[in-house]
Amino acid sequence: MRTPEPARADTPDLAVRLPWEAVPDYHCFGCSPHNPAGLGLRFTRHPDGLRAGFRPTRSFESYPGVLHGGLVGVICDEVMANVIMVERGVPAFTISMRTRYLTPLRVDHDYHCTATISRAEADVITASAEIHDVDDELCASATATYRPFALGDVRHLLTLDDADAARLEHAISTQNGRP
């Protein structure tokens, strides 16, 4: 799935850099360019939140010619978690998610997923996502609840050395012009 939707040439400011990029060898299955088995999603700003275009390949199929349904959920989850990071400036773990499949997604076809924050409280954030085809037909949707976290509180769960943890903490704290 290595064909991300490029930002339009007339709006280069729409492309989004994520804090995880501060870690030279991060391997996120959804968005890392360092993970050859991953989805390689790239994000752009969207008036409603965050968007990622993608074109599934046969490497991700389930039934012949059809994207595996679990990966539909992964794509929605990835875009929703990153809209929280971009708009709220906090990383968050998924604590529940519901995915609705309206039609199978086909391999070698273009799609885009757009995510928005639905509700934000101190200890939970709810987001929603929709996947549309090139004709803007809705193919799948998802809603999820996330628990924001401070990097220091979950450091024991992450495989970051001190230098990478410091880089990531700095990138998160300065994301989108935050001091």
Side-chain angles (χ1 to χ4, degrees), residues 156-170:
H156 66 285
L157 300 172
L158 307 176
T159 56
L160 293 173
D161 62 26
D162 290 341
D164 284 344
R167 283 186 199 97
L168 182 56
E169 186 70 56
H170 177 74

Side-chain angles (χ1 to χ4, degrees), residues 5-141:
E5 180 178 291
R8 294 188 317 259
D10 60 334
T11 55
D13 60 322
L14 293 180
V16 173
R17 291 197 56 167
L18 300 172
W20 328 118
E21 295 175 32
V23 178
D25 192 35
Y26 80 105
H27 268 71
C28 175
F29 179 77
C31 66
S32 175
H34 308 294
N35 187 342
L39 300 173
L41 296 174
R42 292 288 172 258
F43 303 95
T44 57
R45 293 190 183 281
H46 186 273
D48 297 327
L50 198 63
R51 179 176 164 150
F54 61 97
R55 182 180 182 90
T57 65
R58 291 203 62 208
S59 298
F60 300 104
E61 86 182 351
S62 135
Y63 294 115
V66 175
L67 177 64
H68 191 286
L71 292 175
V72 172
V74 168
I75 292 165
C76 290
D77 185 43
E78 183 73 14
V79 182
M80 288 187 288
N82 279 305
V83 76
I84 293 168
M85 181 69 255
V86 169
E87 292 195 1
R88 300 294 173 169
V90 295
F93 287 128
T94 312
I95 56 176
S96 70
M97 184 169 143
R98 181 178 181 146
T99 306
R100 203 171 137 234
Y101 303 89
L102 285 85
T103 184
L105 276 66
R106 298 181 308 163
V107 299
D108 298 324
H109 286 76
D110 293 318
Y111 298 93
H112 63 269
C113 180
T114 303
T116 61
I117 295 175
S118 309
R119 190 177 78 231
E121 298 173 11
D123 59 342
V124 294
I125 298 173
T126 304
S128 59
E130 292 184 342
I131 295 178
H132 291 258
D133 64 17
V134 294
D135 296 323
D136 211 30
E137 294 296 320
L138 180 63
C139 301
S141 63

